[in-house]
Amino acid sequence: MTQEAPVLERTRWSAVVAVALGVVLAALDMTVVAVVLPELGADFGAGPSVTQWVLLGYSLPLVALSVPAGRWLDRAGPLPSFLLAVGGFGVASVLIAVAPTMSLLLAGRALQGVFGSLVGVAAMPLVATSVRPEHRARAMSIVLTLIPLSGVAGPAVGGVLADAYGWRSVFLINVPIVVAAMWAGARTIPARLPGRRGLPLPGGRLVREAAVLGVAATAFFLALDLLGRSEGGVLAAVLGLVTIAAMAVWVRLPESRPVRSLLARRELALPMVALPMTTAGIAALNFLVPYFLAEVQQASPRVIGMALLTVSAGMAVFSPLAGVLADRLGNRPVTLTGAAVILGGLVALLFTDTDTTALGLVWRLALVGIGNGLFAGPNAAEILARTPTALMGTSSGITSLLRTLGFSLGPALGALAWTAATGGVNGFVGGIAIVATAASLALVAVGLSVRAGHRS
C-alpha cells in the first residue's frame, strides 16, 4: 500500500526558500565557470581540450545520476538528504577553490556534479512535502524560474568576481549560499516521513544503474561536442550508437521499472515529453542570437547581452503570475497557454532577415520568455500532482534528466543548423525552425494532456 504524506496545515515557505537557494547553486555553477576557463587554464598550464572537462565534469553526473538519485531520495529522509546535497556541494566548492592541481580540481568538479544532481532532484519532493496543493504551482514557478535566470546571470557574476578576486572566488561564492540554504532548510524541512528516513546506503543496484547511465551520458555529451565538426561525423555517429546501446541495457535492468511505470502513465508522460522540447528552444537561443547579432548586425557584446536578457525578463515577470493563475484555474490551461506563446515567439523569429535589428528581435524573444514563464511552473506542478507519493523522487529524477537534456540539445542543434547553412540569416532561421518544430510537438503533447483531463 502506498504511504501518503501527511496533509500540511500551512505552506512552509521557508522550505521553498531553502530549495530555491539550492537550485541557484546547481544552476549557477553550470555557466558561472565558463568565463574563467582561460584564466584557470593558464594558471595550471592546461589547454582548451583539458579545461572543457571543467564543464563536462559537472554536467556528466547531472545526467548520469538524476534517475538513480531520485530513486534513492524516495527512501531517504527529506532533511538529511537536503543537508547532504547542499553541504556536499559546499565542500566540493571549497575543494575546487583550493585545488593545487588540475586533476584535483576536476575531481572536485565531478564531486560537485554528484551533489548538484541531488540538489536538483530533491527540489520537487521537497516542494511536495512542504507546500499545500493549492500553492504548488506558484512554489514551483518560483523555483524553476531561478534555473534559467541563474544560467544567464552566471557569466556576468563570474566575470565580476574573477576580475576582482581571481578565478577561485567563483567557487568560494557558493559557501554563503550553502550556509543560508542549510539554515533555512533545517528550520522547516521535515527530518522524516512515512517510508523515508535517514540516509540509506545506495546499494549495488543503484551503483550499477549509475554506471550504465554514466556511459550513456559520456557518449551523449561527446557526440554533441562533435556535431557540426567536419571531422567528427563518423565518431559522433559511433558515440550516438554507444548512447543508444547503453540506454537499451538500462531499460532491461530491474532498476528501470519504476521509471517505465511512471512513463507508462499518460497523464505523466505527456507533460514530461513537453519539457525537453521547450527547454531546448531557450538553450538554442543562447547560441543562435549571439551569433546572428554579431555576424549579421555586427552588434556589440553589450547589445547581445541585453537582447538575451529579454527572455529572462519575460520569464521572471510572468512566472509568478503563472503560478497564481494555475493554483486558481488549474495547471493544464496555463501550461497550454505557455506552450502556445512559446511557439508564437519562435514562429515570429522565423521571419528574421538581414534588416532585423536587435530591437526587432526583442519583442519576439520576450514572447518566448513569457511563454516559458507561463509553462515551466504549472507543468512541473501538474507532474507533481499526478505522481504517486512513493515515487516522487523518481519522478523528480526523470524531470531533472529531461530538463538537462533539453538544455544540452538546444545549443547543439543550433550549432548544427548554423554550421550546415554556413551561418548568417539562413543558419539562424534553420536553427529556429528545428526548435519551433520541437515546440509544436510540445504544444500537441500539452493539448492531449488537457483533452485527457477533460475526459476524466
Side-chain angles (χ1 to χ4, degrees):
M1 180 180 295
T2 301
Q3 291 177 300
E4 297 295 331
V7 178
L8 293 169
E9 293 183 3
R10 61 184 179 85
T11 291
R12 303 187 186 107
W13 288 107
S14 293
V16 177
V17 171
V19 172
L21 288 171
V23 165
V24 167
L25 278 174
L28 195 65
D29 269 61
M30 291 185 71
T31 59
V32 71
V33 182
V35 294
V36 301
L37 288 182
E39 182 185 351
L40 185 153
D43 209 10
F44 290 110
S49 61
V50 176
T51 57
Q52 71 169 333
W53 284 96
V54 177
L55 299 177
L56 285 175
Y58 183 74
S59 299
L60 288 176
L62 291 180
V63 174
L65 297 179
S66 290
V67 173
R71 295 204 305 111
W72 179 78
L73 284 170
D74 284 332
R75 298 183 291 122
L79 180 59
S81 58
F82 179 77
L83 295 179
L84 173 68
V86 176
F89 196 96
V91 170
S93 298
V94 173
L95 178 63
I96 296 168
V98 301
T101 65
M102 179 58 98
S103 58
L104 188 57
L105 185 147
L106 291 177
R109 188 68 170 156
L111 191 62
Q112 199 179 44
V114 170
F115 290 111
S117 70
L118 284 175
V119 170
V121 173
M124 194 166 83
L126 286 175
V127 168
T129 59
S130 305
V131 177
R132 288 183 59 83
E134 64 269 23
H135 297 150
R136 284 179 177 175
R138 68 192 80 177
M140 290 306 301
S141 293
I142 293 170
V143 171
L144 292 179
T145 299
L146 292 172
I147 295 176
L149 288 182
S150 298
V152 170
V157 172
V160 170
L161 287 173
D163 284 344
Y165 306 107
W167 67 264
R168 296 179 189 272
S169 64
V170 169
F171 299 99
L172 287 175
I173 193 63
N174 291 334
V175 175
I177 303 175
V178 166
V179 172
M182 294 179 72
W183 177 79
R187 295 180 63 210
T188 51
I189 295 175
R192 62 178 65 184
L193 288 173
R196 297 180 58 192
R197 62 177 63 192
L199 295 172
L201 291 174
R205 288 189 171 187
L206 276 180
V207 173
R208 178 176 65 178
E209 182 182 25
V212 173
L213 291 175
V215 171
T218 303
F220 174 74
F221 276 108
L222 291 176
L224 286 185
D225 184 56
L226 290 170
L227 279 179
R229 297 189 190 181
S230 57
E231 73 279 7
V234 175
L235 184 54
V238 172
L239 289 169
L241 291 175
V242 172
T243 303
I244 294 171
M247 291 305 299
V249 171
W250 174 76
V251 168
R252 296 179 66 86
L253 293 178
E255 293 81 9
S256 69
R257 287 174 187 164
V259 177
R260 288 186 280 119
S261 69
L262 286 176
L263 293 177
R265 297 168 178 253
R266 181 183 175 89
E267 68 274 16
L268 273 172
L270 289 172
M272 284 182 174
V273 164
L275 177 59
M277 295 180 181
T278 56
T279 55
I282 285 283
L285 291 178
N286 290 334
F287 175 89
L288 292 168
V289 171
Y291 273 91
F292 171 78
L293 289 176
E295 181 178 302
V296 178
Q297 301 297 340
Q298 288 77 50
S300 67
R302 182 179 180 182
V303 170
I304 293 171
M306 293 300 292
L308 284 175
L309 194 60
T310 58
V311 180
S312 300
M315 291 190 66
V317 171
F318 278 81
S319 189
L321 175 62
V324 173
L325 290 174
D327 285 333
R328 293 180 180 179
L329 305 176
N331 298 316
R332 287 168 172 167
V334 182
T335 303
L336 181 64
T337 302
V341 175
I342 292 171
L343 180 59
L346 292 173
V347 169
L349 286 168
L350 288 174
F351 294 93
T352 300
D353 54 32
T354 54
D355 296 325
T356 304
T357 63
L359 190 60
L361 286 181
V362 162
W363 67 269
R364 310 175 203 207
L365 295 173
L367 273 180
V368 178
I370 290 168
N372 273 276
L374 293 171
F375 173 88
N379 189 65
E382 179 66 15
I383 294 172
L384 197 64
R386 303 295 168 181
T387 300
T389 301
L391 293 176
M392 198 65 71
T394 300
S395 179
S396 182
I398 298 170
T399 55
S400 179
L401 172 63
L402 293 173
R403 188 181 300 111
T404 303
L405 289 177
F407 280 125
S408 302
L409 274 172
L413 293 173
L416 185 63
W418 182 271
T419 303
T422 63
V425 173
N426 290 336
F428 179 82
V429 172
I432 294 297
I434 293 174
V435 292
T437 301
S440 301
L441 296 175
L443 181 61
V444 171
V446 176
L448 290 174
S449 178
V450 172
R451 184 179 180 184
H454 287 160
R455 287 180 174 177
S456 60

